[in-house]
Amino acid sequence: MQNFNLYEQEELISAVRRHPAIWNKKSKEFRLLPVKDRAYKTISAIFGKSPEATKGAWEALVSKYKREKQNRISAKPRSGAAGGKKYNVNTWALYPLMVFLDDVQRPRKVQESPNVDHHNSDSQFSDPLLELNNSEAETIEYSDTVDEV
């Protein structure tokens, strides 16, 4: 995390939390780059690091938090589901410090593909030969003879 040790990462989370312009998408200041830049400069001065390194470390923490949260969600057993993969929910020490992001960062909704019923004649992918009605089927003539070339 950009040369931030565990203690500095904890302090970085605490410092960023005091500056909603960096993390709170609902804040009016969130879209104001000068305000964000000032916040990163203020925070970076605490650690004696560049604003770019501070911003990179914060973004890495947010990314790690999102992955960790997704792992925890997918590790929960579903109703009626068999075993599934096991995930130790106590793997990242900084996770509890990042939960304040839950109010402003929601996971994307995943849209599932529609189910296509291949056996239904209303399906757009049905076999046209199977859709012939009885009157059309009766008019088809078959010949037992082979035409010579």
Side-chain angles (χ1 to χ4, degrees), residues 114-130:
N115 290 336
V116 177
D117 183 6
H118 295 285
H119 301 291
N120 185 352
S121 64
D122 294 335
S123 171
Q124 76 183 62
F125 301 109
S126 62
D127 186 349
L129 293 177
L130 296 176

Side-chain angles (χ1 to χ4, degrees), residues 20-21 24-33 35-36:
N24 189 349
K25 294 179 181 182
K26 296 176 183 177
S27 169
K28 292 178 183 177
E29 297 176 333
F30 181 78
R31 298 194 198 290
L32 301 175
L33 286 175
V35 176
K36 278 186 175 182

Side-chain angles (χ1 to χ4, degrees), residues 45-123:
I46 295 169
F47 300 103
K49 310 220 186 232
S50 72
E52 293 79 17
T54 303
K55 182 178 181 180
W58 172 247
E59 290 172 350
L61 285 168
V62 171
S63 179
K64 172 73 173 166
Y65 175 71
K66 287 179 181 179
R67 280 192 313 274
E68 188 76 15
K69 183 175 176 118
Q70 185 58 44
N71 287 338
R72 289 173 185 233
I73 290 170
S74 64
K76 291 181 182 178
R78 295 183 180 170
S79 175
K85 71 176 184 178
K86 303 289 184 198
Y87 183 75
N88 183 2
V89 294
N90 298 322
T91 57
W92 190 43
L94 300 177
Y95 184 88
L97 301 176
M98 300 284 289
V99 294
F100 70 94
L101 295 175
D102 287 349
D103 292 335
V104 294
Q105 294 189 353
R106 304 209 190 289
R108 288 183 171 177
K109 291 182 181 179
V110 177
Q111 188 174 16
E112 293 184 20
S113 300
N115 290 336
V116 177
D117 183 6
H118 295 285
H119 301 291
N120 185 352
S121 64
D122 294 335
S123 171

